[in-house]
Amino acid sequence: MSILQATNLYSYYGKSPVIQDVSFNMEEGEIVSVLGRNGVGKTTLLKTIMGLTDNATGGLMFNGQDILNKRTSERAKLGIGYIPQGREVIPRFTVRENIVMGTYARTDGNRNIPEYLFEMFPILRDFLNRRGGDLSGGQQQQLAIARALAMDPEILILDEPTEGIQPNVVKEIEEAIVHLNRDRGISIIIVEQNIPFARKASDRFVVMDKGKIVVTGMKEELTDDVVERHLTF
């Protein structure tokens, strides 16, 4: 069953189209990796799904519902969680306050922090009363993921979640992403530069160049030739 579908999608900053004629279909329960060199529109694609660009045209369906003209907050309440590049935790808020913020996108009024978040990222329990700005980069990424999960999303969108993070925490975050998908049934879209991880974890991939999708396929089709032609610098 399709959970997210884009059809002839264009997205603009001002009058300039950054995303051009993008079409893809994501099935429920999949991990989809969005790949490409720097500056080709990957982050803009994620922002377009969240309604964070100046304007978008074409088709964008989530669970069979047209969301193209919905506000970002409305999309979140429908079940789309987003962890942006740079994490954007609130530095003066405690870890607890940052996570509880995520619950305000829930429609059932539940403000409790799900226990499994602390099982996945034990350090967050230890640091519940520490300010978000005092955490390391890797700990802030774990906090940003926990905040998005606190809203109980159906789909999670992650923009380079392991960028600039110490290797031991990278492994924890990668394992958490696979766990969320395989064991908790959350569909995931991830912008990722780590090709081995994309090959291991993804069900399918899209490669972008100059604002367009130039290659798409199942993970087995992410060949060395595709990497050489579209992803090497």
Side-chain angles (χ1 to χ4, degrees), residues 29-112:
E30 284 190 325
I31 296 180
V32 175
S33 289
V34 180
L35 310 170
R37 299 183 179 95
N38 292 334
V40 298
K42 304 185 302 293
T43 292
T44 300
L45 176 60
L46 303 192
K47 288 185 172 181
T48 303
I49 295 169
M50 289 307 302
L52 292 169
T53 60
D54 293 341
N55 185 36
T57 61
L60 187 62
M61 307 288 287
F62 176 66
N63 275 336
Q65 184 173 347
D66 185 356
I67 64 169
L68 192 66
N69 295 312
K70 290 189 179 295
R71 295 190 300 273
T72 299
S73 59
E74 293 175 313
R75 300 182 197 203
K77 287 183 177 179
L78 287 173
I80 306 177
Y82 176 52
I83 298 101
Q85 198 173 23
R87 301 177 278 276
E88 295 183 9
V89 303
I90 299 177
R92 295 184 60 132
F93 278 23
T94 65
V95 166
R96 184 193 306 275
E97 290 166 337
N98 268 281
I99 298 174
V100 169
M101 272 192 63
T103 68
Y104 283 87
R106 296 179 65 113
T107 56
D108 60 5
N110 186 347
R111 301 291 175 256
N112 296 321

Side-chain angles (χ1 to χ4, degrees), residues 9-13 17-20 22 24 34-49 53 82 85 159-160 189 191 193 206-213:
L9 189 64
Y10 287 75
S11 191
Y12 300 81
Y13 291 126
V18 181
I19 297 296
Q20 303 175 59
V22 163
F24 68 88
V34 180
L35 310 170
R37 299 183 179 95
N38 292 334
V40 298
K42 304 185 302 293
T43 292
T44 300
L45 176 60
L46 303 192
K47 288 185 172 181
T48 303
I49 295 169
T53 60
Y82 176 52
Q85 198 173 23
D159 195 351
E160 298 204 31
I189 299 177
V191 167
Q193 300 287 1
V206 299
V207 177
M208 297 191 67
D209 192 16
K210 298 178 182 176
K212 299 180 178 181
I213 292 177

Side-chain angles (χ1 to χ4, degrees), residues 25-222:
N25 185 65
M26 180 180 185
E27 297 295 316
E28 187 175 346
E30 284 190 325
I31 296 180
V32 175
S33 289
V34 180
L35 310 170
R37 299 183 179 95
N38 292 334
V40 298
K42 304 185 302 293
T43 292
T44 300
L45 176 60
L46 303 192
K47 288 185 172 181
T48 303
I49 295 169
M50 289 307 302
L52 292 169
T53 60
D54 293 341
N55 185 36
T57 61
L60 187 62
M61 307 288 287
F62 176 66
N63 275 336
Q65 184 173 347
D66 185 356
I67 64 169
L68 192 66
N69 295 312
K70 290 189 179 295
R71 295 190 300 273
T72 299
S73 59
E74 293 175 313
R75 300 182 197 203
K77 287 183 177 179
L78 287 173
I80 306 177
Y82 176 52
I83 298 101
Q85 198 173 23
R87 301 177 278 276
E88 295 183 9
V89 303
I90 299 177
R92 295 184 60 132
F93 278 23
T94 65
V95 166
R96 184 193 306 275
E97 290 166 337
N98 268 281
I99 298 174
V100 169
M101 272 192 63
T103 68
Y104 283 87
R106 296 179 65 113
T107 56
D108 60 5
N110 186 347
R111 301 291 175 256
N112 296 321
I113 298 175
E115 181 63 26
Y116 83 89
L117 300 182
F118 300 128
E119 296 169 2
M120 196 164 52
F121 301 130
I123 196 71
L124 297 182
R125 189 197 302 276
D126 298 337
F127 289 171
L128 267 176
N129 296 313
R130 188 172 294 194
R131 288 185 176 184
D134 294 336
L135 304 185
S136 71
Q139 292 162 354
Q140 286 188 3
Q141 186 62 275
Q142 292 174 331
L143 175 55
I145 293 171
R147 180 180 59 191
L149 290 170
M151 61 172 280
D152 193 27
E154 289 188 52
I155 187 170
L156 197 62
I157 299 173
L158 303 102
D159 195 351
E160 298 204 31
T162 61
E163 182 184 37
I165 291 175
Q166 56 269 42
N168 62 313
V169 182
V170 167
K171 188 171 186 297
E172 284 184 45
I173 289 172
E174 290 179 344
E175 288 174 351
I177 290 167
V178 173
H179 163 72
L180 291 169
N181 176 256
R182 306 289 193 263
D183 301 328
R184 305 198 71 88
I186 299 174
S187 305
I188 291 172
I189 299 177
I190 181 170
V191 167
E192 184 55 79
Q193 300 287 1
N194 183 338
I195 301 302
F197 178 66
R199 283 173 165 157
K200 179 179 79 171
S202 303
D203 296 292
R204 72 176 74 215
F205 70 94
V206 299
V207 177
M208 297 191 67
D209 192 16
K210 298 178 182 176
K212 299 180 178 181
I213 292 177
V214 292
V215 184
T216 184
M218 306 305 289
K219 66 177 179 181
E220 296 81 10
E221 299 170 86
L222 184 53

